[in-house]
Amino acid sequence: MTFGGAAPAGTSLASTAALDGSRQAFLTAPAPAVDTRGTFAVSAWVRPARTDRAMTVASQDAAGGSAYVLGLRTEASGPVWSFALGDARVSGGAPETGEWAHLLGLRDAETGDVRLYVNGRPVGTAVRAVPAAASGAFQLGRARQERATTGTGRATSGTSGSTTASSSPTR
């Protein structure tokens, strides 16, 4: 992991953390970042060093796995950006090796929908999601799957220049 890398041009960011996909290349907070039962968003600036394998940008632990995962996944048609909440997933956009992208995963508590935005534009099709209670840690660069916590790839020079997570009070 390297701190102090160049930030995306045209943003207010000063520097980035580069997570290289190695076993110790992750950042974690000891507490949840958002209440996944309410409306929330998680966003990040990312620049993948490669797009031929799955990569986790941000996630939040829940019992038995991750409550949500924002990142890159590979599909038969090629790589796509992805935001998953519980068993629901919305994917879209075309990640490019070495190119910055701003990802935003959104859960709307009023509609129950999960949406994904890439560079400010909606991608994929919104899907209904039943959120898992997430009382575990907020993770950058890895996701918890079943009983293991795994780093899922390499995204140098920016598995997040800036990652934010915010939520609205649950009604």
Side-chain angles (χ1 to χ4, degrees):
M1 179 175 352
T2 307
F3 291 97
T11 70
S12 61
L13 303 175
S15 65
T16 64
L19 308 176
D20 65 11
S22 65
R23 188 171 196 83
Q24 298 302 316
F26 64 90
L27 299 170
T28 188
V34 297
D35 179 351
T36 57
R37 297 168 299 176
T39 295
F40 75 91
V42 60
S43 68
W45 279 100
V46 297
R47 184 173 69 180
R50 54 192 291 188
T51 58
D52 61 344
R53 63 180 175 179
M55 290 182 248
T56 297
V57 175
S59 70
Q60 188 165 307
D61 293 349
S66 293
Y68 65 81
V69 178
L70 179 68
L72 183 152
R73 56 184 276 124
T74 55
E75 295 183 351
S77 60
V80 292
W81 297 115
S82 176
F83 180 56
L85 177 66
D87 292 332
R89 177 183 310 277
V90 60
S91 299
E96 295 181 43
T97 300
E99 295 296 323
W100 284 105
H102 184 260
L103 308 180
L104 184 133
L106 172 70
R107 194 259 174 168
D108 183 333
E110 286 188 33
T111 64
D113 288 348
V114 173
R115 294 184 177 86
L116 175 63
Y117 297 83
V118 178
N119 296 326
R121 294 186 173 99
V123 297
T125 302
V127 294
R128 302 270 173 186
V130 177
S135 58
F138 177 65
Q139 308 277 342
L140 295 177
R142 69 179 184 174
R144 187 171 177 195
Q145 299 170 350
E146 295 303 314
R147 286 178 227 126
T149 301
T150 60
T152 55
R154 176 181 170 141
T156 29
S157 298
T159 294
S160 137
S162 170
T163 300
T164 58
S166 61
S167 62
S168 297
T170 304
R171 294 181 190 168

